[in-house]
Amino acid sequence: MDKNSKIYIAGHRGMVGSAIYRKLQSEGFENLITRTSAELDLRNQQAVADFFAQEKPDYVFLAAAKVGGIVANNTYRADFIYENLAIQNNVIHSSYVNGVTKLMFLGSSCIYPKMAPQPLKEDYLLTGPLEETNEPYAIAKIAGIKMCDAYRAQYGCNYISVMPTNLYGYNDNYHPQNSHVLPALIRRFHEAKEQRVPSVTIWGTGTPKREFLFADDLASACYYLMQNYDEPGLVNIGTGEDISIKDLALLVKKIIGYEGSIEFDTAKPDGTPRKLMDVSKLHSKGWKHTVELEQGIKLAYQDFLRK
Ligand SMILES: NC(=O)C1=CN([C@@H]2O[C@H](COP(=O)(O)OP(=O)(O)OC[C@H]3O[C@@H](n4cnc5c(N)ncnc54)[C@H](OP(=O)(O)O)[C@@H]3O)[C@@H](O)[C@H]2O)C=CC1
Ligand SMILES: C[C@H]1O[C@H](OP(=O)(O)OP(=O)(O)OC[C@H]2O[C@@H](n3cnc4c(=O)[nH]c(N)nc43)[C@H](O)[C@@H]2O)[C@@H](O)[C@@H](O)C1=O
């Protein structure tokens, strides 16, 4: 990418897309193209074809998707598979038709088998059954990886796939039911503190382990890989460190300054027992995260308080 390249960031108002937008701006890129979902519904094949034919972007970051936490994935199963397949099919195919130089597809760590060995290496893809709660979303994401590889193999397209671990940061979704765990806990502990509620309930047993990456770090990795990575297959993006949900809840409780107790709603799903990324490939390419979890949660909490 050079500073005059025309770059389309699909999903620029979301947590990831907005972080990629900020990163590109801070690096001096000015020719950035964006559309909200109201302006351009990426599920609409003709609208996407017309947009690409008119704008002819050089580079595409595909960060638009139907996204949510464990209960949203499990509840809106049809929406998660249909919307994600439609968005990625339309954007990837229109990129090919209109000669996009390079495209980055964002997947997720949920593409790996539920019981895969830890840490998760890139070559564990398609080696076992998926986690049931997010299987439709994961199937769509796996199709996206395979679509990038197929367009590379048949048409020589330089389309790359990156697999971020669980993310959090600025512009996160704080919906009480549909969000991911970190924004959910920030909101719940904050409201419990404000309303002097004696206990906070978190979902599941608290024993699953997750890895968390600050979205601005992810944007930095995406920028780095867009400049320095041209391979088929996938590359994990994470920190290589994980934490149990119980310990995460204790950390959020401490940062927010809530003094009540924690209870567990075991009627809610735990999901995958552990999802720790093997980040040796990413490190070998020359990128490492900079924001540690406690610091990142403090930054996210400040952002939550500003909204
Ligand atoms: N959040 C996480 O923990 C993780 C996210 N990822 C991946 O990162 C990417 C970005 O996720 P994140 O930023 O968290 O998600 P958000 O929900 O914050 O943002 C998604 C964006 O996609 C856009 N979008 C959704 N549907 C459509 C549509 N039909 N047409 C056009 N635009 C649409 C929305 O645009 P608008 O605002 O204009 O409506 C929104 O800004 C996704 O591919 C996700 O799978 C991967 C791993 C973990
Ligand atoms: C990024 C990733 O996100 C989803 O998978 P997930 O990793 O299971 O993500 P989650 O953040 O929703 O939950 C993590 C853990 O935390 C526990 N948990 C406790 N209390 C709350 C809570 O209040 N909300 C939520 N959401 N979870 C909670 C919850 O029970 C689970 O054990 C995928 O569907 C898929 O979309 C995907 O790729």
Side-chain angles (χ1 to χ4, degrees):
M1 289 188 294
D2 64 53
K3 298 282 145 94
N4 297 318
S5 299
K6 196 168 190 181
I7 306 170
Y8 170 44
I9 306 153
H12 73 290
R13 289 201 304 185
M15 180 172 68
V16 170
S18 61
I20 292 174
Y21 189 94
R22 283 194 301 280
K23 175 66 180 169
L24 290 169
Q25 269 195 323
S26 75
E27 295 288 340
F29 291 86
E30 289 175 353
N31 200 357
L32 306 179
I33 323 170
T34 59
R35 293 288 187 280
T36 65
S37 60
E39 292 163 344
L40 173 63
D41 184 343
L42 293 172
R43 295 169 301 184
N44 181 328
Q45 187 178 29
Q46 190 60 53
V48 176
D50 292 346
F51 165 75
F52 272 82
Q54 185 192 322
E55 291 292 346
K56 297 270 183 204
D58 302 312
Y59 292 86
V60 174
F61 288 89
L62 178 41
K66 173 82 176 166
V67 180
I70 189 167
V71 164
N73 268 266
N74 202 22
T75 308
Y76 308 110
R77 299 176 72 85
D79 298 348
F80 273 81
I81 190 162
Y82 166 68
E83 295 191 23
N84 286 313
L85 283 172
I87 291 170
Q88 67 205 38
N89 279 349
N90 292 339
V91 172
I92 293 170
H93 185 69
S94 282
S95 294
Y96 156 64
V97 169
N98 292 283
V100 164
T101 304
K102 188 167 181 180
L103 173 145
M104 173 179 284
F105 171 69
L106 280 104
S108 161
S109 57
C110 70
I111 52 114
Y112 290 111
K114 177 172 185 169
M115 302 313 284
Q118 306 285 322
L120 298 158
K121 293 183 190 297
E122 285 85 355
D123 59 12
Y124 296 164
L125 179 67
L126 292 173
T127 56
L130 297 164
E131 155 62 21
E132 172 66 14
T133 53
N134 58 32
E135 190 183 64
Y137 175 79
I139 293 279
K141 292 296 188 184
I142 292 169
I145 298 168
K146 293 299 176 188
M147 197 161 167
C148 288
D149 285 353
Y151 277 67
R152 176 184 291 276
Q154 186 176 344
Y155 299 125
C157 299
N158 191 5
Y159 297 168
I160 60 172
S161 297
V162 300
M163 297 306 119
T165 191
N166 291 39
L167 305 169
Y168 68 103
Y170 304 134
N171 297 327
D172 209 342
N173 165 18
Y174 288 90
H175 189 282
Q177 299 303 320
N178 294 338
S179 69
H180 292 102
V181 62
L182 239 173
L185 294 185
I186 288 175
R187 178 177 178 160
R188 210 168 299 140
F189 280 111
H190 172 78
E191 289 179 353
K193 181 183 165 192
E194 294 282 291
Q195 294 158 17
R196 300 175 190 280
V197 177
S199 75
V200 161
T201 302
I202 70 170
W203 298 355
T205 59
T207 57
K209 295 183 89 176
R210 293 290 184 273
E211 174 185 359
F212 296 95
L213 180 70
F214 194 63
D216 285 64
D217 262 347
L218 174 76
S220 151
C222 290
Y223 175 69
Y224 184 83
L225 292 170
M226 200 62 150
Q227 309 273 44
N228 296 296
Y229 179 81
D230 297 304
E231 294 169 28
L234 54 160
V235 57
N236 292 337
I237 305 180
T239 63
E241 297 155 23
D242 63 359
I243 181 170
S244 75
I245 297 301
K246 182 181 176 189
D247 286 344
L248 178 75
L250 291 169
L251 182 58
V252 174
K253 177 180 185 278
K254 182 186 90 173
I255 289 168
I256 291 181
Y258 172 70
E259 289 177 353
S261 61
I262 296 177
E263 289 174 10
F264 297 91
D265 176 1
T266 53
K268 290 281 196 307
D270 268 343
T272 309
R274 197 175 182 200
K275 276 196 286 188
L276 176 65
M277 293 293 214
D278 184 319
V279 284
S280 48
K281 183 173 177 182
L282 179 67
H283 288 178
S284 75
K285 301 287 171 200
W287 187 89
K288 192 175 183 302
H289 75 283
T290 60
V291 181
E292 297 303 336
L293 184 58
E294 183 161 352
Q295 178 197 359
I297 296 173
K298 286 177 181 164
L299 292 171
Y301 184 43
Q302 285 163 14
D303 186 55
F304 170 82
L305 292 174
R306 281 193 291 269
K307 303 266 151 128

Coordinates of all heavy atoms in Angstrom, one line a residue, residues 1 7-10 16 20 58-64 88 91-92 95 100-107 144 148 152 158-164 218-229 235 237 282:
M1 N 0.9 -1.2 0.0 CA 0.0 0.0 0.0 C 0.9 1.2 0.0 O 1.8 1.3 0.8 CB -0.9 0.0 1.3 CG -1.9 -1.0 1.3 SD -3.1 -0.8 2.7 CE -2.0 -1.1 4.1
I7 N -8.3 2.7 -0.3 CA -8.5 1.6 0.6 C -9.9 1.6 1.1 O -10.4 2.6 1.7 CB -7.5 1.7 1.8 CG1 -6.1 1.8 1.3 CG2 -7.7 0.5 2.7 CD1 -5.1 2.1 2.4
Y8 N -10.6 0.5 0.9 CA -12.0 0.3 1.4 C -12.0 -0.5 2.7 O -11.5 -1.6 2.7 CB -12.9 -0.4 0.3 CG -14.2 -0.8 0.8 CD1 -15.0 0.0 1.6 CD2 -14.7 -2.1 0.5 CE1 -16.3 -0.4 2.0 CE2 -16.0 -2.5 0.9 CZ -16.8 -1.6 1.7 OH -18.0 -2.0 2.1
I9 N -12.5 0.2 3.7 CA -12.6 -0.5 5.0 C -14.1 -0.9 5.2 O -14.9 0.0 5.5 CB -12.1 0.4 6.2 CG1 -10.7 0.8 5.9 CG2 -12.2 -0.4 7.5 CD1 -10.4 2.1 6.6
A10 N -14.4 -2.1 5.0 CA -15.8 -2.6 5.2 C -16.1 -2.8 6.7 O -15.3 -3.5 7.3 CB -16.0 -3.9 4.4
V16 N -13.6 -3.2 15.2 CA -12.3 -3.5 14.5 C -12.1 -2.6 13.3 O -11.1 -2.0 13.1 CB -12.4 -5.0 13.9 CG1 -11.3 -5.3 13.0 CG2 -12.4 -6.0 15.1
I20 N -9.0 -0.1 12.6 CA -8.2 -0.1 11.3 C -8.2 1.3 10.7 O -7.2 1.8 10.2 CB -8.7 -1.2 10.4 CG1 -8.5 -2.6 11.0 CG2 -8.1 -1.1 9.0 CD1 -9.1 -3.7 10.2
D58 N -8.2 -0.2 -4.4 CA -7.0 -1.0 -4.6 C -6.8 -2.0 -3.5 O -6.3 -3.1 -3.7 CB -5.7 0.0 -4.5 CG -5.8 1.1 -5.5 OD1 -6.1 0.8 -6.7 OD2 -5.6 2.3 -5.1
Y59 N -7.2 -1.7 -2.3 CA -7.1 -2.6 -1.1 C -8.4 -2.7 -0.4 O -9.1 -1.7 -0.3 CB -6.0 -2.1 -0.2 CG -4.6 -2.2 -0.8 CD1 -4.2 -1.1 -1.6 CD2 -3.8 -3.3 -0.6 CE1 -2.9 -1.2 -2.2 CE2 -2.6 -3.4 -1.2 CZ -2.1 -2.4 -2.0 OH -0.9 -2.5 -2.6
V60 N -8.7 -3.8 0.2 CA -9.9 -4.0 1.0 C -9.6 -4.7 2.3 O -8.9 -5.8 2.3 CB -10.9 -4.9 0.2 CG1 -12.2 -5.2 1.1 CG2 -11.4 -4.3 -1.1
F61 N -10.1 -4.1 3.4 CA -10.1 -4.8 4.7 C -11.5 -5.2 5.0 O -12.4 -4.3 5.1 CB -9.7 -3.8 5.8 CG -8.2 -3.5 5.9 CD1 -7.7 -2.4 5.1 CD2 -7.3 -4.2 6.6 CE1 -6.4 -2.1 5.1 CE2 -5.9 -3.9 6.6 CZ -5.5 -2.8 5.9
L62 N -11.8 -6.5 5.0 CA -13.2 -7.0 5.2 C -13.4 -7.2 6.7 O -13.3 -8.3 7.2 CB -13.4 -8.2 4.4 CG -14.7 -8.9 4.4 CD1 -15.9 -7.9 4.5 CD2 -14.9 -9.9 3.3
A63 N -13.8 -6.1 7.4 CA -14.2 -6.2 8.8 C -15.7 -6.0 9.0 O -16.0 -5.7 10.2 CB -13.3 -5.1 9.5
A64 N -16.5 -6.1 8.0 CA -17.9 -6.1 8.2 C -18.4 -7.5 8.4 O -18.1 -8.4 7.6 CB -18.6 -5.5 7.0
Q88 N -19.4 -11.8 2.8 CA -18.0 -12.2 2.4 C -18.1 -12.7 0.9 O -17.2 -12.3 0.1 CB -17.4 -13.2 3.3 CG -18.0 -14.6 3.4 CD -17.7 -15.3 4.7 OE1 -17.7 -14.7 5.8 NE2 -17.6 -16.6 4.6
V91 N -18.3 -9.4 -1.2 CA -17.1 -8.5 -1.2 C -15.9 -9.2 -1.8 O -15.2 -8.6 -2.6 CB -16.8 -8.1 0.3 CG1 -15.5 -7.4 0.4 CG2 -17.9 -7.2 0.8
I92 N -15.7 -10.5 -1.6 CA -14.6 -11.2 -2.2 C -14.8 -11.3 -3.7 O -13.9 -11.0 -4.5 CB -14.4 -12.6 -1.5 CG1 -14.0 -12.4 0.0 CG2 -13.3 -13.4 -2.2 CD1 -14.0 -13.6 0.8
S95 N -14.4 -8.0 -5.4 CA -13.0 -7.6 -5.4 C -12.2 -8.2 -6.5 O -11.4 -7.6 -7.2 CB -12.3 -8.0 -4.1 OG -12.9 -7.3 -3.0
V100 N -9.1 -5.8 -7.4 CA -8.5 -5.3 -6.2 C -7.1 -6.0 -6.0 O -6.9 -7.2 -6.2 CB -9.4 -5.7 -5.0 CG1 -8.7 -5.6 -3.7 CG2 -10.7 -4.8 -5.0
T101 N -6.1 -5.2 -5.6 CA -4.8 -5.6 -5.5 C -4.6 -6.6 -4.4 O -3.9 -7.7 -4.5 CB -3.8 -4.4 -5.3 OG1 -4.0 -3.5 -6.4 CG2 -2.4 -4.8 -5.3
K102 N -5.2 -6.3 -3.3 CA -5.1 -7.2 -2.1 C -6.3 -7.0 -1.2 O -6.7 -5.9 -1.0 CB -3.8 -6.8 -1.4 CG -3.4 -7.8 -0.2 CD -2.0 -7.6 0.2 CE -1.6 -8.6 1.3 NZ -0.2 -8.4 1.8
L103 N -6.7 -8.1 -0.6 CA -7.8 -8.1 0.3 C -7.4 -8.9 1.6 O -6.8 -9.9 1.5 CB -9.0 -8.8 -0.3 CG -10.3 -9.0 0.5 CD1 -11.6 -8.8 -0.3 CD2 -10.3 -10.4 1.1
M104 N -7.9 -8.4 2.7 CA -7.7 -9.1 4.0 C -9.1 -9.5 4.5 O -10.0 -8.7 4.7 CB -7.0 -8.2 5.1 CG -7.0 -8.9 6.4 SD -6.1 -7.9 7.7 CE -4.4 -8.1 7.2
F105 N -9.2 -10.8 4.8 CA -10.5 -11.4 5.3 C -10.2 -11.6 6.8 O -9.3 -12.3 7.2 CB -10.8 -12.7 4.6 CG -12.0 -13.4 5.3 CD1 -13.2 -12.9 5.2 CD2 -11.7 -14.6 5.9 CE1 -14.3 -13.6 5.8 CE2 -12.8 -15.3 6.5 CZ -14.1 -14.8 6.5
L106 N -11.2 -11.2 7.7 CA -11.1 -11.4 9.1 C -11.9 -12.6 9.5 O -13.2 -12.5 9.3 CB -11.5 -10.2 9.9 CG -10.3 -9.1 10.0 CD1 -10.6 -8.0 9.0 CD2 -10.1 -8.6 11.4
G107 N -11.3 -13.6 10.0 CA -12.1 -14.8 10.6 C -12.1 -14.6 12.1 O -12.4 -13.5 12.6
G144 N -15.0 -18.4 4.2 CA -14.3 -17.2 3.8 C -12.8 -17.5 3.6 O -12.2 -17.0 2.6
C148 N -10.9 -17.2 -0.1 CA -9.7 -16.5 -0.4 C -8.7 -17.4 -1.0 O -8.0 -17.0 -2.0 CB -9.1 -15.9 0.9 SG -10.1 -14.5 1.5
R152 N -7.2 -17.2 -4.9 CA -5.7 -17.2 -5.1 C -5.2 -18.3 -6.0 O -4.5 -18.0 -7.0 CB -5.0 -17.3 -3.7 CG -3.5 -17.3 -3.8 CD -2.8 -17.6 -2.4 NE -3.0 -16.5 -1.5 CZ -2.2 -15.4 -1.5 NH1 -1.2 -15.3 -2.3 NH2 -2.5 -14.4 -0.7
N158 N -4.3 -11.9 -4.5 CA -3.6 -11.9 -3.3 C -4.5 -11.5 -2.1 O -4.6 -10.4 -1.6 CB -2.5 -10.8 -3.4 CG -1.5 -10.9 -2.2 OD1 -1.6 -11.8 -1.4 ND2 -0.6 -9.9 -2.2
Y159 N -5.3 -12.6 -1.7 CA -6.3 -12.4 -0.6 C -5.8 -13.2 0.6 O -5.5 -14.4 0.4 CB -7.7 -12.9 -1.1 CG -8.3 -12.2 -2.2 CD1 -9.4 -12.7 -2.9 CD2 -7.8 -11.0 -2.7 CE1 -10.0 -12.0 -3.9 CE2 -8.3 -10.3 -3.7 CZ -9.4 -10.8 -4.4 OH -10.0 -10.1 -5.4
I160 N -5.7 -12.5 1.7 CA -5.1 -13.2 2.9 C -6.2 -13.3 4.0 O -7.1 -12.4 4.1 CB -3.9 -12.4 3.4 CG1 -4.2 -11.0 3.8 CG2 -2.7 -12.5 2.4 CD1 -3.0 -10.3 4.5
S161 N -6.0 -14.3 4.9 CA -7.0 -14.5 6.0 C -6.3 -14.4 7.3 O -5.3 -15.1 7.5 CB -7.6 -15.9 5.8 OG -8.4 -16.0 4.6
V162 N -6.9 -13.6 8.2 CA -6.3 -13.5 9.6 C -7.3 -14.0 10.6 O -8.5 -13.7 10.4 CB -5.8 -12.1 9.9 CG1 -4.7 -11.7 8.9 CG2 -6.9 -11.1 9.9
M163 N -6.9 -14.7 11.6 CA -7.8 -15.2 12.6 C -7.6 -14.5 14.0 O -6.7 -14.9 14.7 CB -7.6 -16.7 12.8 CG -7.9 -17.5 11.6 SD -9.6 -17.2 10.9 CE -9.1 -16.6 9.3
P164 N -8.3 -13.5 14.3 CA -8.1 -12.8 15.6 C -8.7 -13.7 16.7 O -9.7 -14.4 16.5 CB -8.9 -11.5 15.5 CG -9.4 -11.4 14.0 CD -9.3 -12.8 13.5
L218 N -5.0 -5.3 17.4 CA -5.4 -6.1 16.2 C -5.2 -5.2 14.9 O -4.7 -5.7 13.9 CB -6.9 -6.5 16.3 CG -7.3 -7.2 15.0 CD1 -6.7 -8.6 14.9 CD2 -8.8 -7.2 14.9
A219 N -5.7 -4.0 15.0 CA -5.6 -3.1 13.8 C -4.1 -2.9 13.4 O -3.8 -2.9 12.2 CB -6.2 -1.7 14.1
S220 N -3.2 -2.8 14.4 CA -1.8 -2.7 14.1 C -1.3 -4.0 13.4 O -0.5 -3.9 12.4 CB -1.1 -2.4 15.4 OG 0.2 -2.9 15.4
A221 N -1.7 -5.1 13.9 CA -1.3 -6.4 13.2 C -1.9 -6.5 11.8 O -1.2 -6.9 10.9 CB -1.8 -7.6 14.1
C222 N -3.1 -6.1 11.6 CA -3.8 -6.1 10.3 C -3.0 -5.3 9.3 O -2.7 -5.6 8.2 CB -5.2 -5.7 10.3 SG -6.3 -6.9 11.2
Y223 N -2.6 -4.1 9.8 CA -1.9 -3.1 8.9 C -0.5 -3.8 8.6 O -0.1 -3.8 7.4 CB -1.7 -1.8 9.7 CG -0.8 -0.8 9.0 CD1 -1.2 -0.2 7.8 CD2 0.5 -0.5 9.5 CE1 -0.4 0.7 7.2 CE2 1.3 0.4 8.9 CZ 0.8 1.0 7.7 OH 1.6 1.9 7.0
Y224 N 0.1 -4.3 9.6 CA 1.5 -4.9 9.4 C 1.4 -6.1 8.4 O 2.2 -6.2 7.5 CB 2.0 -5.4 10.7 CG 3.4 -6.0 10.6 CD1 4.5 -5.2 10.7 CD2 3.6 -7.4 10.5 CE1 5.8 -5.7 10.5 CE2 4.9 -7.9 10.4 CZ 6.0 -7.0 10.4 OH 7.2 -7.5 10.2
L225 N 0.4 -7.0 8.6 CA 0.3 -8.1 7.7 C -0.2 -7.7 6.3 O 0.2 -8.3 5.3 CB -0.7 -9.1 8.3 CG -0.2 -9.8 9.6 CD1 -1.3 -10.6 10.2 CD2 1.0 -10.7 9.3
M226 N -1.0 -6.7 6.1 CA -1.3 -6.2 4.8 C -0.1 -5.8 4.1 O 0.0 -5.9 2.8 CB -2.3 -5.0 5.0 CG -3.1 -4.7 3.8 SD -4.2 -6.1 3.3 CE -5.6 -5.2 2.5
Q227 N 0.9 -5.3 4.8 CA 2.2 -4.8 4.1 C 3.1 -6.0 3.9 O 4.0 -5.9 3.0 CB 2.9 -3.8 5.0 CG 2.0 -2.6 5.5 CD 2.0 -1.5 4.5 OE1 1.8 -1.7 3.3 NE2 2.1 -0.3 4.9
N228 N 3.1 -7.0 4.8 CA 4.2 -7.9 4.9 C 3.8 -9.4 4.7 O 4.7 -10.2 4.9 CB 4.9 -7.8 6.2 CG 5.5 -6.4 6.4 OD1 6.4 -6.0 5.7 ND2 5.0 -5.6 7.3
Y229 N 2.6 -9.7 4.4 CA 2.2 -11.1 4.4 C 1.4 -11.4 3.1 O 0.4 -10.7 2.9 CB 1.4 -11.4 5.6 CG 0.9 -12.8 5.8 CD1 1.7 -13.9 6.2 CD2 -0.5 -13.1 5.5 CE1 1.2 -15.2 6.4 CE2 -0.9 -14.4 5.6 CZ -0.1 -15.4 6.0 OH -0.6 -16.7 6.2
V235 N -3.4 -16.9 9.3 CA -2.5 -16.6 10.4 C -3.2 -16.1 11.6 O -4.2 -15.3 11.5 CB -1.4 -15.5 9.9 CG1 -2.1 -14.3 9.3 CG2 -0.4 -15.2 11.0
I237 N -4.0 -14.2 15.1 CA -3.6 -12.9 15.7 C -4.0 -12.9 17.2 O -5.3 -13.0 17.4 CB -4.1 -11.7 15.0 CG1 -3.8 -11.7 13.5 CG2 -3.6 -10.4 15.7 CD1 -4.3 -10.5 12.7
L282 N 2.8 -15.6 13.7 CA 2.7 -14.1 13.7 C 4.0 -13.5 14.2 O 4.5 -12.5 13.6 CB 1.5 -13.7 14.6 CG 1.2 -12.2 14.8 CD1 0.8 -11.6 13.5 CD2 0.2 -12.0 15.9

